[in-house]
């Protein structure tokens, strides 16, 4: 994708001078020949390949997986910046959890007129969850908040991921790799550690077992070894020391879920599931699902097991709900949002639709339920023909789309074939909710490896960087 | 532990062991081809290798004649042959991938890098000077796998299922190898002796890393019945049937009891035959019959392990 973005904010250099936070690193970088960086990059690739930090591409042969490109230049954040981002992300998740509880119970926010009633007809709204009380009122136990930056103090939330957000294993493995490749930098800088994430996650999951269970058994449920994120599932299960289960390993008896073990059935209390709502129980959702557990939903609704994330969180992370998050924060928490939304046009509103159609070439248009960078139009990068085709798609169902101004996402120096060059980045920190809401000081930083590209998704060739929060 | 996990661990180890044994058979057969008059034809030399692998029919479906080149390719690299080294290592790696959370990261990385290294052999013409190198590589990767798993994994049930896979597969392979070779090498009522027999039998011994052990135990010329004794009854010979069954019964003893009784019974019966058996009696009843019985018994034990632990039903 070739698009001209006027002078995007660069994380390292402003007018050719390193920002304070980068000063020492920029100095080190200028004294390090690009060949040395390249050899470190190759070393990393070899190690990632050997360790099997890979993702599967659907339809490719067994025994062949791909690497997500890893960049050896980290993204740096000052403690002050991290405080803003983490306070803002945790504030959002608090409000979103309260919203989810509300929307499946008394629906106060609808009666207050802040969110339209049409949300109840949303395909991700799960009537099965109405009146169900989940432990601690927590729905989104693990949330990934996508944040972009356009200037020194301009951060925007692009998206809230509340279903089965992925990528945290790259946050952890990228850090481990960086410490191995550049130990001298870690001695020079005081980089806030992230390695305790699995420990925090396990504690959070234990905390949301049904009340009264002494030593809750937690498992991680994966769709299986051919899922694109399988490495991450195996990695997190291993780091937490819990069983990695598939649907076929679980069964329902009475009001409980058990796993089949070599010693007979064993009761399961909390399922961290990395499998979508539609596939968890063929009796309640997709009857063709081979991945799920028949009867799981009934046990769940009756309080026999905890699912993380809860069923029905998709209604809160979709792009048509996103626009209401600032209102939720004010409504539930009585606070002003710390992080801003990207201004968003709702194409279901006739005047906004007209504006978008008139300015299509300047805007980014996204499908309301799209994810992974699919089904979106980046106006400035699109051809005449693509614009015309997308216009027709919008007109056939305007409410399926939202539009946003094309943001000049910040760039970060990145090692590419030609040497170091600026590439656009975003940031996905992970927010954990259990007894309390918490984060580790770090995030997955995604980088668009192609020049000028704004699409950072790994399914579209994006890479990752380690993120350093500096004290 | 999860039954499915135990299943993957068991098969992962079986496939690695299978690859190693296949490599041994290839290596030794190739060595034999260097001995003058060892076999009348390529077919006479390489046919038994197919037989040991239990792959005669699969081979005949694809090829009209038995040639060294085609048999080697078929047994080493052919993806169409489910018991080729290629297929065994791919299956081992897929099983390992399915349980990478349950094995130590060293064990996983070892199998994963084995698979990555395998690519270098894939397009090689093995007969042209690379077969020995290839077989050595497979054997040493298998040794490494056992060492890494032994040295880095918790010696818990996961490890026990893995070890069960190793010894069930090994017992099967040793019995088949001995059966095929004994059959071939000992035509009825024929005097034994001479250079060819010596090479043949020393090759059999080498194929199970028992040549030096034989010299140490018997310090005498190589006699077929002593070879059989070494590979069947010697408990201290690591690839003998007795040694495998001793390991298996010891492991089964340590597994959780409730589901275990039938496995223990089947294994105990097999073990007793080896522990208390005498070579003269085995020969009287026929070594071939004994080994055939053993392969069936060992296979039943595998099925019983599968039924009791690995495919556990809801009950």
């Amino acid at each position: 994708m070739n698009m001209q973005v006027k002078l995007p904010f660069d994380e390292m250099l402003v007018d050719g001078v390193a920002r304070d936070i980068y000063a020492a690193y920029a100095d080190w970088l200028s004294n390090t020949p690009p060949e040395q960086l390249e050899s470190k990059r190759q070393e990393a690739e070899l190690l990632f390949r050997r360790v099997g930090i890979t993702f599967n591409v659907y339809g490719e042969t067994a025994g062949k997986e791909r690497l997500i490109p890893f960049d050896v230049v980290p993204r740096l954040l000052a403690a002050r910046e991290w405080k803003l981002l983490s306070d803002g992300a945790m504030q959002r998740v608090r409000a979103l959890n309260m919203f989810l509880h509300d929307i499946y119970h008394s629906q106060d926010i609808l009666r207050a007129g802040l969110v339209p009633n049409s949300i109840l007809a949303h395909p991700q709204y799960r009537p099965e969850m109405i009146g169900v009380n989940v432990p601690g009122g927590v729905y989104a136990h693990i949330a990934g908040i996508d944040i972009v930056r356009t200037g020194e103090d301009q951060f925007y939330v692009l998206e809230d991921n509340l279903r089965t957000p992925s990528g945290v294993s790259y946050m952890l493995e990228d850090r481990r790799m960086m410490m191995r490749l550049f130990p001298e930098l870690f001695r020079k800088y005081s980089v806030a550690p992230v390695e305790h994430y699995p420990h925090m996650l396990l504690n959070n999951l234990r905390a949301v077992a049904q009340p009264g269970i002494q030593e809750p058994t937690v498992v991680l449920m994966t769709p299986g070894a051919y899922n694109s994120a399988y490495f991450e599932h195996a990695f997190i299960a291993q780091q937490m020391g819990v069983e990695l289960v598939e649907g076929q390993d679980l069964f329902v008896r009475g009001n409980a879920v058990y796993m089949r073990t070599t010693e007979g059935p064993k009761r399961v209390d909390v399922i961290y599931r990395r499998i979508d709502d539609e596939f968890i129980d063929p009796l309640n959702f997709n009857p063709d699902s081979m991945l799920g557990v028949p009867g799981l939903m009934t046990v769940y609704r009756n309080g026999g097991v905890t699912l993380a994330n809860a069923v029905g969180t998709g209604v809160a992370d979709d792009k048509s709900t996103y626009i209401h998050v600032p209102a939720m924060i004010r409504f539930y928490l009585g606070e002003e949002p710390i992080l801003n939304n990207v201004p968003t046009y709702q194409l279901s509103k006739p005047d906004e639709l007209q504006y978008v159609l008139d300015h299509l070439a300047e805007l980014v248009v996204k499908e309301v339920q799209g994810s992974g960078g699919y089904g979106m139009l980046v106006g400035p990068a699109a051809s005449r023909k693509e614009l015309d085709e997308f216009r027709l798609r919008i007109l056939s169902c305007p409410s399926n789309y939202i539009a946003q101004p094309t943001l000049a996402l910040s760039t970060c120096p990145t090692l590419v074939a030609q040497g170091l060059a600026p590439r656009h980045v975003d940031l996905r920190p992970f927010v954990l909710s259990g007894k309390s809401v918490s984060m580790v000081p770090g995030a997955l930083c995604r980088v668009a490896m192609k020049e000028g590209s704004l699409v950072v998704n790994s399914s579209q060739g994006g890479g990752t960087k380690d993120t350093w929060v500096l004290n | 532990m999860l039954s499915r996990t135990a299943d993957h661990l068991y098969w992962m180890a079986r496939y690695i062991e299978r690859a190693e044994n296949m490599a041994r058979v290839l290596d030794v057969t190739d060595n034999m081809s260097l001995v003058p008059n060892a076999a009348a034809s390529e077919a006479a030399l390489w046919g038994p290798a197919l037989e040991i692998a239990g792959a005669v029919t699969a081979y005949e479906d694809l090829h009209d004649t038995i040639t060294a080149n085609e048999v080697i390719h078929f047994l080493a690299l052919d993806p169409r042959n489910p018991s080729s080294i290629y297929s065994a290592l791919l299956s081992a790696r897929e099983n390992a991938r399915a349980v990478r959370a349950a094995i130590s990261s060293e064990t996983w990385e070892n199998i994963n890098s084995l698979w990555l290294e395998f690519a270098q052999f894939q397009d090689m013409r093995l007969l042209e000077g690379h077969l020995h190198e290839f077989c050595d590589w497979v054997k040493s990767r298998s040794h490494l796998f056992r060492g890494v798993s032994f040295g880095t994994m918790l010696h818990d049930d996961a490890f026990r299922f893995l070890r069960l896979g190793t010894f069930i597969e090994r017992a099967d392979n040793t019995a088949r190898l001995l059966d095929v070779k004994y059959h071939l090498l000992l035509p009825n009522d024929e005097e034994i002796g001479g250079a060819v027999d010596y090479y043949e039998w020393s090759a059999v011994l080498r194929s199970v890393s028992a040549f030096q052990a034989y010299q140490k135990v018997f310090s005498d010329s190589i006699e077929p019945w002593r070879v059989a004794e070494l590979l069947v009854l010697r408990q201290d010979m690591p690839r003998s049937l007795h040694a495998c069954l001793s390991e298996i019964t010891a492991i089964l003893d340590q597994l959780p009891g409730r589901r275990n009784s039938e496995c223990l019974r089947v294994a105990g019966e097999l073990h007793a035959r080896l522990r208390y058996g005498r070579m003269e009696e085995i020969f009287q009843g026929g070594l071939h019959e004994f080994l055939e019985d053993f392969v069936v018994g060992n296979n039943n034990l595998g099925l019983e392990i599968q039924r009791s632990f690995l495919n556990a039903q809801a009950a």
Side-chain angles (χ1 to χ4, degrees), chain A residues 335-364:
Chain A
E335 299 171 5
E336 272 308 299
I338 299 168
L339 289 172
N340 290 318
N341 268 11
V342 180
T344 303
Y345 303 99
Q346 294 171 264
L347 276 55
S348 49
K349 298 186 179 169
D351 51 331
E352 301 196 5
L353 172 64
Q354 195 50 52
Y355 176 85
V356 169
L357 292 174
D358 291 346
H359 297 81
L360 208 51
E362 301 155 28
L363 300 169
V364 176

Short mmCIF file of all heavy atoms in Angstrom, two decimals, chain A residues 335-364:
data_model
loop_
_atom_site.label_atom_id
_atom_site.label_comp_id
_atom_site.label_asym_id
_atom_site.label_seq_id
_atom_site.Cartn_x
_atom_site.Cartn_y
_atom_site.Cartn_z
N GLU A 335 -16.36 9.63 35.35
CA GLU A 335 -15.05 10.21 35.07
C GLU A 335 -15.01 10.69 33.62
O GLU A 335 -15.83 10.27 32.80
CB GLU A 335 -13.95 9.14 35.24
CG GLU A 335 -13.85 8.58 36.66
CD GLU A 335 -12.90 7.38 36.74
OE1 GLU A 335 -12.26 7.06 35.72
OE2 GLU A 335 -12.83 6.77 37.82
N GLU A 336 -14.04 11.55 33.36
CA GLU A 336 -13.79 11.92 31.96
C GLU A 336 -12.85 10.89 31.33
O GLU A 336 -11.92 10.43 32.00
CB GLU A 336 -13.15 13.31 31.89
CG GLU A 336 -14.14 14.46 31.85
CD GLU A 336 -15.20 14.30 30.76
OE1 GLU A 336 -14.81 14.25 29.57
OE2 GLU A 336 -16.41 14.22 31.09
N PRO A 337 -13.09 10.52 30.09
CA PRO A 337 -12.18 9.55 29.45
C PRO A 337 -10.75 10.07 29.41
O PRO A 337 -10.52 11.24 29.09
CB PRO A 337 -12.73 9.43 28.02
CG PRO A 337 -14.13 9.93 28.09
CD PRO A 337 -14.18 10.93 29.20
N ILE A 338 -9.81 9.20 29.78
CA ILE A 338 -8.40 9.59 29.76
C ILE A 338 -7.84 9.48 28.34
O ILE A 338 -7.05 10.30 27.91
CB ILE A 338 -7.59 8.69 30.72
CG1 ILE A 338 -8.12 8.89 32.15
CG2 ILE A 338 -6.10 8.99 30.64
CD1 ILE A 338 -7.61 7.86 33.16
N LEU A 339 -8.31 8.48 27.63
CA LEU A 339 -7.87 8.30 26.24
C LEU A 339 -9.04 8.60 25.30
O LEU A 339 -10.18 8.22 25.57
CB LEU A 339 -7.39 6.88 26.00
CG LEU A 339 -6.06 6.48 26.66
CD1 LEU A 339 -5.82 4.98 26.48
CD2 LEU A 339 -4.91 7.28 26.07
N ASN A 340 -8.73 9.25 24.19
CA ASN A 340 -9.79 9.61 23.25
C ASN A 340 -10.06 8.51 22.24
O ASN A 340 -9.19 7.72 21.90
CB ASN A 340 -9.39 10.86 22.47
CG ASN A 340 -9.40 12.08 23.36
OD1 ASN A 340 -10.32 12.25 24.18
ND2 ASN A 340 -8.38 12.91 23.23
N ASN A 341 -11.28 8.50 21.76
CA ASN A 341 -11.63 7.72 20.59
C ASN A 341 -11.16 8.45 19.34
O ASN A 341 -11.03 9.68 19.35
CB ASN A 341 -13.16 7.60 20.48
CG ASN A 341 -13.67 6.36 21.18
OD1 ASN A 341 -12.95 5.70 21.90
ND2 ASN A 341 -14.94 6.07 20.94
N VAL A 342 -10.98 7.72 18.27
CA VAL A 342 -10.80 8.34 16.97
C VAL A 342 -12.19 8.85 16.55
O VAL A 342 -13.17 8.12 16.69
CB VAL A 342 -10.31 7.31 15.94
CG1 VAL A 342 -10.12 7.96 14.58
CG2 VAL A 342 -9.03 6.67 16.41
N PRO A 343 -12.28 10.13 16.06
CA PRO A 343 -13.58 10.60 15.60
C PRO A 343 -14.15 9.62 14.57
O PRO A 343 -13.42 9.17 13.68
CB PRO A 343 -13.27 11.94 14.94
CG PRO A 343 -11.90 12.32 15.40
CD PRO A 343 -11.20 11.10 15.84
N THR A 344 -15.39 9.25 14.74
CA THR A 344 -15.95 8.18 13.92
C THR A 344 -17.29 8.59 13.31
O THR A 344 -18.15 9.13 14.01
CB THR A 344 -16.13 6.91 14.77
OG1 THR A 344 -14.87 6.56 15.33
CG2 THR A 344 -16.66 5.75 13.95
N TYR A 345 -17.43 8.35 12.03
CA TYR A 345 -18.71 8.61 11.36
C TYR A 345 -19.52 7.33 11.35
O TYR A 345 -19.04 6.27 11.00
CB TYR A 345 -18.48 9.06 9.93
CG TYR A 345 -17.61 10.30 9.84
CD1 TYR A 345 -16.26 10.19 9.55
CD2 TYR A 345 -18.16 11.56 10.06
CE1 TYR A 345 -15.45 11.31 9.49
CE2 TYR A 345 -17.35 12.69 10.00
CZ TYR A 345 -16.00 12.57 9.72
OH TYR A 345 -15.20 13.67 9.66
N GLN A 346 -20.80 7.48 11.73
CA GLN A 346 -21.70 6.33 11.69
C GLN A 346 -22.48 6.40 10.40
O GLN A 346 -23.28 7.32 10.19
CB GLN A 346 -22.67 6.38 12.87
CG GLN A 346 -21.97 6.21 14.20
CD GLN A 346 -22.93 6.49 15.32
OE1 GLN A 346 -22.98 7.58 15.86
NE2 GLN A 346 -23.75 5.49 15.66
N LEU A 347 -22.30 5.44 9.57
CA LEU A 347 -22.92 5.51 8.26
C LEU A 347 -24.41 5.20 8.29
O LEU A 347 -25.11 5.37 7.29
CB LEU A 347 -22.17 4.60 7.27
CG LEU A 347 -20.94 5.28 6.63
CD1 LEU A 347 -19.97 5.83 7.66
CD2 LEU A 347 -20.23 4.35 5.68
N SER A 348 -24.89 4.77 9.46
CA SER A 348 -26.33 4.57 9.58
C SER A 348 -27.05 5.92 9.65
O SER A 348 -28.25 6.01 9.41
CB SER A 348 -26.64 3.74 10.82
OG SER A 348 -25.94 4.29 11.93
N LYS A 349 -26.31 6.99 9.97
CA LYS A 349 -26.92 8.33 10.01
C LYS A 349 -26.78 8.99 8.64
O LYS A 349 -25.66 9.14 8.14
CB LYS A 349 -26.23 9.19 11.07
CG LYS A 349 -26.38 8.62 12.48
CD LYS A 349 -25.81 9.56 13.51
CE LYS A 349 -25.99 9.00 14.92
NZ LYS A 349 -25.23 9.74 15.92
N PRO A 350 -27.90 9.40 8.05
CA PRO A 350 -27.89 9.89 6.66
C PRO A 350 -26.90 11.03 6.41
O PRO A 350 -26.18 11.01 5.41
CB PRO A 350 -29.32 10.36 6.44
CG PRO A 350 -30.14 9.61 7.41
CD PRO A 350 -29.27 9.36 8.60
N ASP A 351 -26.83 12.00 7.34
CA ASP A 351 -25.92 13.12 7.05
C ASP A 351 -24.46 12.69 7.11
O ASP A 351 -23.63 13.11 6.31
CB ASP A 351 -26.19 14.29 8.01
CG ASP A 351 -26.20 13.84 9.46
OD1 ASP A 351 -26.54 12.66 9.72
OD2 ASP A 351 -25.85 14.65 10.35
N GLU A 352 -24.13 11.78 8.03
CA GLU A 352 -22.76 11.31 8.12
C GLU A 352 -22.42 10.43 6.93
O GLU A 352 -21.30 10.46 6.40
CB GLU A 352 -22.52 10.57 9.46
CG GLU A 352 -22.83 11.49 10.64
CD GLU A 352 -22.27 11.01 11.98
OE1 GLU A 352 -21.56 9.98 12.01
OE2 GLU A 352 -22.58 11.67 13.00
N LEU A 353 -23.40 9.64 6.48
CA LEU A 353 -23.21 8.81 5.29
C LEU A 353 -22.86 9.68 4.09
O LEU A 353 -21.92 9.41 3.35
CB LEU A 353 -24.48 7.99 5.01
CG LEU A 353 -24.50 7.23 3.69
CD1 LEU A 353 -23.42 6.15 3.65
CD2 LEU A 353 -25.87 6.58 3.45
N GLN A 354 -23.63 10.77 3.95
CA GLN A 354 -23.41 11.65 2.81
C GLN A 354 -22.00 12.26 2.86
O GLN A 354 -21.28 12.27 1.87
CB GLN A 354 -24.47 12.78 2.80
CG GLN A 354 -24.53 13.52 1.47
CD GLN A 354 -24.66 12.56 0.28
OE1 GLN A 354 -25.53 11.69 0.27
NE2 GLN A 354 -23.77 12.69 -0.70
N TYR A 355 -21.59 12.66 4.07
CA TYR A 355 -20.27 13.25 4.23
C TYR A 355 -19.18 12.23 3.81
O TYR A 355 -18.25 12.55 3.08
CB TYR A 355 -20.03 13.69 5.68
CG TYR A 355 -18.63 14.22 5.88
CD1 TYR A 355 -18.31 15.56 5.61
CD2 TYR A 355 -17.60 13.38 6.30
CE1 TYR A 355 -17.02 16.04 5.76
CE2 TYR A 355 -16.30 13.85 6.45
CZ TYR A 355 -16.02 15.17 6.18
OH TYR A 355 -14.74 15.63 6.31
N VAL A 356 -19.38 11.00 4.28
CA VAL A 356 -18.38 9.97 4.00
C VAL A 356 -18.30 9.69 2.50
O VAL A 356 -17.22 9.60 1.92
CB VAL A 356 -18.69 8.69 4.79
CG1 VAL A 356 -17.82 7.52 4.31
CG2 VAL A 356 -18.46 8.93 6.28
N LEU A 357 -19.47 9.59 1.87
CA LEU A 357 -19.45 9.31 0.43
C LEU A 357 -18.78 10.45 -0.34
O LEU A 357 -18.08 10.21 -1.33
CB LEU A 357 -20.89 9.09 -0.08
CG LEU A 357 -21.56 7.81 0.44
CD1 LEU A 357 -23.03 7.75 0.02
CD2 LEU A 357 -20.82 6.57 -0.03
N ASP A 358 -18.95 11.68 0.16
CA ASP A 358 -18.32 12.82 -0.51
C ASP A 358 -16.81 12.89 -0.28
O ASP A 358 -16.09 13.52 -1.04
CB ASP A 358 -18.95 14.14 -0.01
CG ASP A 358 -20.39 14.26 -0.49
OD1 ASP A 358 -20.78 13.49 -1.41
OD2 ASP A 358 -21.13 15.10 0.05
N HIS A 359 -16.36 12.26 0.80
CA HIS A 359 -14.94 12.37 1.14
C HIS A 359 -14.24 11.02 1.22
O HIS A 359 -13.27 10.85 1.94
CB HIS A 359 -14.78 13.10 2.49
CG HIS A 359 -15.27 14.49 2.48
ND1 HIS A 359 -16.61 14.80 2.63
CD2 HIS A 359 -14.63 15.67 2.30
CE1 HIS A 359 -16.77 16.12 2.57
NE2 HIS A 359 -15.57 16.67 2.35
N LEU A 360 -14.75 10.07 0.45
CA LEU A 360 -14.28 8.69 0.56
C LEU A 360 -12.76 8.57 0.41
O LEU A 360 -12.11 7.77 1.08
CB LEU A 360 -14.98 7.83 -0.50
CG LEU A 360 -15.16 6.34 -0.19
CD1 LEU A 360 -15.79 6.14 1.18
CD2 LEU A 360 -16.01 5.68 -1.27
N ALA A 361 -12.21 9.39 -0.49
CA ALA A 361 -10.78 9.26 -0.79
C ALA A 361 -9.89 9.72 0.37
O ALA A 361 -8.68 9.49 0.36
CB ALA A 361 -10.43 10.04 -2.05
N GLU A 362 -10.49 10.36 1.39
CA GLU A 362 -9.66 10.84 2.50
C GLU A 362 -9.81 9.97 3.74
O GLU A 362 -9.10 10.14 4.72
CB GLU A 362 -10.10 12.27 2.91
CG GLU A 362 -10.01 13.28 1.81
CD GLU A 362 -10.99 14.44 2.06
OE1 GLU A 362 -11.30 14.72 3.25
OE2 GLU A 362 -11.44 15.03 1.07
N LEU A 363 -10.78 9.06 3.71
CA LEU A 363 -11.16 8.38 4.95
C LEU A 363 -10.77 6.91 4.96
O LEU A 363 -10.46 6.32 3.92
CB LEU A 363 -12.69 8.47 5.12
CG LEU A 363 -13.26 9.88 5.21
CD1 LEU A 363 -14.78 9.85 5.11
CD2 LEU A 363 -12.82 10.56 6.51
N VAL A 364 -10.78 6.35 6.17
CA VAL A 364 -10.66 4.90 6.31
C VAL A 364 -12.05 4.37 6.64
O VAL A 364 -12.70 4.87 7.55
CB VAL A 364 -9.70 4.54 7.47
CG1 VAL A 364 -9.65 3.02 7.67
CG2 VAL A 364 -8.30 5.06 7.19
#
